[in-house]
Amino acid sequence: MALERPPGRGCGALRRCVLGAALLLGLRLCAELRPSGPRSPARSAPLGPAPQPPGPHLPPAPGPPRGASRRQVTYVRSGRRAPPEGGGSGTLEPGCCAPRGHPRRKIACNHMSTDSLATDASPAKKPWSVCLDDRFGLAHQIRNKQCRLYSLGLGSDDTQFEVSLANSGCEVHRFDPSVKSAHLLKSRRLWYHRLSIDWRDPHPAVAAQNPHRNTRKLGTILNEFGHHKIDVLKADLESAEWKVLENLILEDVLEQIGQLTFAIHLHWPGFEVSGGDSSVVRFWYSLLKEVELKGFRLFHSYKDLSKPQLFLKKDIFNASSCYILSWVNTRWT
């Protein structure tokens, strides 16, 4: 009588053979796709042209070169290859060959200022933070009365952070379209401007039809005010922050900023951000990655539990639709 083979034994061996073959094929493809020859690290491949030394004013935003399409933030998965000769935006490297040694954790900030909000327990207040470690220079700028803060908001009554830095010696400019006067000096160092920060300047024809709608890109306002550096940029733009951040990256304005403290909103994709959930998340991640590639390091994050627990319109337990992230520019001079 023939012996019966135990059930499933042959299937298990077949599965192991198939998995082994797939693994070998993946390793071979990874080796073949790895670029030959020397390659610069991912950090040395910025999104656009290398920034020029700052002059008395920022240069206007460059237009698309030689009829090429408008630059966009590339989805960042594992870095980029160097662009080929003659231009081009470069291509993404395969996910299996990610470069090593890329820093992703927070840096330690030993002297972080959140004192301006520490005595107010109102849930509407948020812990905006700046790093006052001497290695980053903001404390020195404050002591010398040479600090400049830009605050971008949409009708928020929370101004304790701005008032605190103004009292400390910073020149503070708060941009809010709800302000009644075009330019209002609230105190010795605190200015209010009836301006709204956008990721594009208005079309001249539209601007002529709406003379009271004052919308500008941040780079345009820097040119108009004659400012070429901002020590601290604070933004709470109710989901417009993603497109504004993209504009700061694409037009190389980010290098002119010492510290960023941004409220990011996750309950929906944001203005003019389309695609499925995976595309939206890749876009958000790519922006945050580009900030890191510009030399910024995260030193503080805050989850606002007073906001709904939504992520891309989905209810998620113990999450928040709003986070405050604070970065310091490690290349700031």
Side-chain angles (χ1 to χ4, degrees):
M1 179 184 297
L3 294 175
E4 293 185 2
R5 185 173 53 186
R9 187 172 180 179
C11 294
L14 180 60
R15 283 197 297 269
R16 287 194 294 271
C17 291
V18 172
L19 290 174
L23 177 60
L24 290 175
L25 179 60
L27 292 174
R28 182 174 179 179
L29 287 175
C30 182
E32 290 176 355
L33 289 172
R34 187 185 298 274
S36 58
R39 185 189 67 193
S40 300
R43 184 183 301 175
S44 63
L47 183 68
Q52 301 297 322
H57 303 288
L58 283 176
R66 294 193 295 275
S69 60
R70 182 179 178 272
R71 287 190 297 162
Q72 296 180 353
V73 172
T74 306
Y75 287 155
V76 178
R77 293 178 185 171
S78 61
R80 286 186 299 278
R81 292 176 185 164
E85 292 186 5
S89 60
T91 57
L92 287 173
E93 294 182 13
C96 62
C97 306
R100 299 178 180 177
H102 207 64
R104 299 192 181 190
R105 58 182 181 270
K106 288 184 187 178
I107 64 167
C109 178
N110 298 320
H111 301 88
M112 188 171 60
S113 172
T114 56
D115 296 339
S116 61
L117 302 177
T119 59
D120 195 328
S122 170
K125 308 304 181 183
K126 301 175 182 177
W128 304 99
S129 303
V130 292
C131 185
L132 298 176
D133 287 3
D134 286 336
R135 54 184 169 148
F136 300 125
L138 179 59
H140 175 77
Q141 293 293 94
I142 292 176
R143 287 193 295 266
N144 291 337
K145 311 298 183 184
Q146 295 177 347
C147 165
R148 179 178 293 127
L149 164 70
Y150 270 33
S151 174
L152 319 181
L154 292 174
S156 173
D157 293 329
D158 177 10
T159 61
Q160 291 182 349
F161 180 77
E162 291 85 347
V163 171
S164 175
L165 284 181
N167 292 338
S168 298
C170 282
E171 172 191 327
V172 177
H173 297 269
R174 186 168 186 262
F175 299 90
D176 189 335
S178 66
V179 176
K180 294 182 180 180
S181 301
H183 305 283
L184 177 63
L185 184 62
K186 292 284 290 185
S187 64
R188 183 182 176 187
R189 293 181 174 272
L190 177 58
W191 283 91
Y192 278 41
H193 306 283
R194 193 177 59 204
L195 288 169
S196 176
I197 307 299
D198 204 349
W199 55 92
R200 63 210 160 179
D201 285 329
H203 190 277
V206 176
Q209 295 175 2
N210 298 278
H212 299 292
R213 182 176 179 178
N214 296 322
T215 301
R216 304 280 194 280
K217 294 187 296 187
L218 184 61
T220 302
I221 290 179
L222 287 169
N223 280 332
E224 292 178 355
F225 285 16
H227 298 158
H228 64 273
K229 284 189 176 183
I230 305 172
D231 292 280
V232 180
L233 176 64
K234 172 201 168 187
D236 189 358
L237 298 174
E238 301 298 334
S239 298
E241 67 275 357
W242 294 111
K243 294 297 292 184
V244 169
L245 184 59
E246 180 190 34
N247 172 257
L248 299 183
I249 294 169
L250 294 177
E251 297 192 352
D252 296 324
V253 179
L254 208 58
E255 288 85 348
Q256 316 302 322
I257 301 170
Q259 296 191 28
L260 292 171
T261 178
F262 262 55
I264 63 169
H265 299 83
L266 309 175
H267 58 290
W268 71 297
F271 299 96
E272 295 189 6
V273 180
S274 59
D277 288 358
S278 60
S279 297
V280 172
V281 171
R282 285 199 303 271
F283 175 70
W284 289 346
Y285 172 79
S286 298
L287 292 178
L288 299 179
K289 196 66 177 177
E290 291 293 345
V291 170
E292 184 181 80
L293 292 172
K294 295 290 186 180
F296 285 80
R297 294 294 176 264
L298 188 70
F299 68 88
H300 184 251
S301 61
Y302 168 76
K303 178 169 62 176
D304 191 348
L305 295 177
S306 68
K307 300 296 184 180
Q309 297 179 342
L310 291 177
F311 182 84
L312 291 177
K313 302 181 181 180
K314 297 178 180 65
D315 192 9
I316 298 180
F317 175 72
N318 201 27
S320 174
S321 60
C322 178
Y323 290 78
I324 296 179
L325 305 180
S326 300
W327 296 271
V328 62
N329 187 350
T330 58
R331 303 173 187 171
W332 183 251
T333 56

